[in-house]
Amino acid sequence: MFKNIVVGISGGVDSAVTALLLKEKGFNVTGVFMKNWDILNEKGVCLAEKDYKDAKKVCEKLDIPLFQVNFVKEYWNDVFSNLLEKYQSGYTPNPDILCNKNIKFDHFIHIAQTKFHADAVATGHYVKTSFGPYLENFKPHTDVLMLQALDANKDQTFFLCQVSQQSLRHCMFPLGEYLKSDVKKIARVAGLTEIAEKKESMGICFVGKREFQHFISEYIENKDGDVVNLDNGKIIGKHQGIHHWTIGQRCKISGLDDAYFVFQKDLQTNVITAVKGTNHPALYSDLVVVQNPHWIVNEPLELTDSERILICNFRFQHRNPLISCKIFKTLNNQLIIQLSQPLRAITIGQLLLLCLVCCSIFWSNMFG
């Protein structure tokens, strides 16, 4: 059923091994490099150009064709502009999640199907689905579940938070069955040692090695404000804009011996409220309200009955351990989540993950 596969080739080891595994399985593999950002970094270098050269090396070694598609405009409109808007509103967005939702698993799938006649697309994400890594269990009109990868340390279900059911039905994730260490070994055996040893990209790609505060000031105008101590209401310092800071982050306040951390950001007054000590009780919460839930599969039956409670697992940061929680649904479709233990720095505007017993996943926008 699935024969022609387009692989998103990034120039890294994960996508390289994904293409290799698919070719060894007998699929017709075409590599596509997505150019999402074309602005020079702080050193006057466009990182996309270096990655494209590495992608060409990979495809030449594997003897598969490589094409480049330009999603710079789409990335700016659907990811970066959204990020700027959220920061200006005092929220903490996640560009990786937005990129997966709007670019890799929307625009990329569309162009793969229309221009390259792909039956499915594949990426180097560490995640599983109920259809299997090569869609070998595919059944028409059957919902696909998203499952955690074998490598718990690399599991990327968090970043595929808002991928639609329709997109998942046309996606292959071969690396969900492998450990990262095994992926590197496969690359070395295949003669891709240079790619296997390539330093893995971390953080927000378009920021580079600059401090985030310096980067974001190029796009959002600074606005000076006060930093106030939550415990006594006294002004303890100044800031250059609430968009520079997120909840739980350490404040940079000169002249103070004690470390203070962001507790709250007030968009109206432009005041940041801070607390002394990284483990201040005010930074912890065991109750979360969310809105606009996005279910990868159908909403659990427990939430269709106002008298029932959904018990599942909760995560709001990539590598945080899952913890148990209880969920109640309100009449206006908000979810009240009671955590089994308080967590630090849960932030308005973040996305969170709920993992059911069967490992299907839903995401929502955190409301408060």
Side-chain angles (χ1 to χ4, degrees), residues 100-346:
N100 284 328
K101 174 187 177 182
N102 297 321
I103 307 300
K104 294 179 181 177
F105 296 94
D106 188 351
H107 292 299
F108 174 53
I109 290 180
H110 176 73
I111 202 169
Q113 293 175 330
T114 57
K115 183 176 180 178
F116 300 104
H117 310 291
D119 298 314
V121 302
T123 67
H125 287 93
Y126 287 79
V127 64
K128 297 180 184 180
T129 75
S130 55
F131 285 170
Y134 304 103
L135 300 181
E136 58 266 43
N137 300 319
F138 180 81
K139 295 180 181 179
H141 313 300
T142 300
D143 285 337
V144 54
L145 306 179
M146 186 182 294
L147 311 174
Q148 295 182 68
L150 174 67
D151 192 331
N153 188 53
K154 291 297 297 180
D155 175 72
Q156 291 175 298
T157 50
F158 184 87
F159 295 117
L160 273 63
C161 70
Q162 293 189 345
V163 175
S164 70
Q165 177 67 208
Q166 181 61 28
S167 293
L168 283 176
R169 297 175 65 82
H170 300 280
C171 291
M172 292 183 177
F173 302 107
L175 301 193
E177 305 285 346
Y178 291 88
L179 299 176
K180 178 74 175 193
S181 56
D182 293 331
V183 170
K184 288 190 172 185
K185 289 179 183 177
I186 293 171
R188 294 189 188 100
V189 171
L192 295 168
T193 302
E194 181 181 350
I195 299 300
E197 301 302 329
K198 183 179 178 180
K199 187 176 181 180
E200 193 169 9
S201 60
M202 303 292 288
I204 303 175
C205 61
F206 48 74
V207 175
K209 296 183 179 180
R210 290 168 287 184
E211 286 193 10
F212 180 77
Q213 286 84 354
H214 294 161
F215 170 81
I216 201 68
S217 292
E218 297 177 12
Y219 299 93
I220 301 177
E221 184 178 358
N222 288 342
K223 184 179 179 181
D224 294 345
D226 294 327
V227 179
V228 175
N229 187 335
L230 173 69
D231 294 319
N232 58 26
K234 294 183 178 179
I235 297 175
I236 56 175
K238 296 286 185 180
H239 68 83
Q240 292 184 313
I242 62 174
H243 55 278
H244 287 166
W245 306 99
T246 188
I247 305 301
Q249 184 180 1
R250 181 171 178 173
C251 302
K252 295 181 179 180
I253 304 175
S254 61
L256 293 181
D257 295 330
D258 297 313
Y260 281 81
F261 297 81
V262 177
F263 164 68
Q264 190 176 61
K265 301 182 293 183
D266 191 316
L267 186 64
Q268 301 302 317
T269 64
N270 198 37
V271 169
I272 289 179
T273 305
V275 294
K276 185 169 69 173
T278 186
N279 292 317
H280 192 287
L283 294 175
Y284 288 80
S285 175
D286 62 358
L287 189 67
V288 177
V289 180
V290 300
Q291 63 179 358
N292 302 324
H294 167 70
W295 298 96
I296 286 181
V297 292
N298 295 327
E299 181 181 79
L301 294 176
E302 291 88 340
L303 295 181
T304 62
D305 186 339
S306 60
E307 296 183 0
R308 299 177 70 182
I309 300 171
L310 175 64
I311 298 176
C312 62
N313 293 317
F314 173 99
R315 174 183 288 150
F316 78 104
Q317 290 180 338
H318 170 40
R319 286 180 176 163
N320 281 13
L322 290 166
I323 68 166
S324 62
C325 68
K326 297 179 180 179
I327 304 177
F328 312 81
K329 183 178 178 180
T330 67
L331 294 177
N332 61 354
N333 203 34
Q334 290 183 346
L335 302 180
I336 310 297
I337 302 178
Q338 178 70 56
L339 306 178
S340 60
Q341 65 187 65
L343 296 180
R344 184 183 183 278
I346 298 177

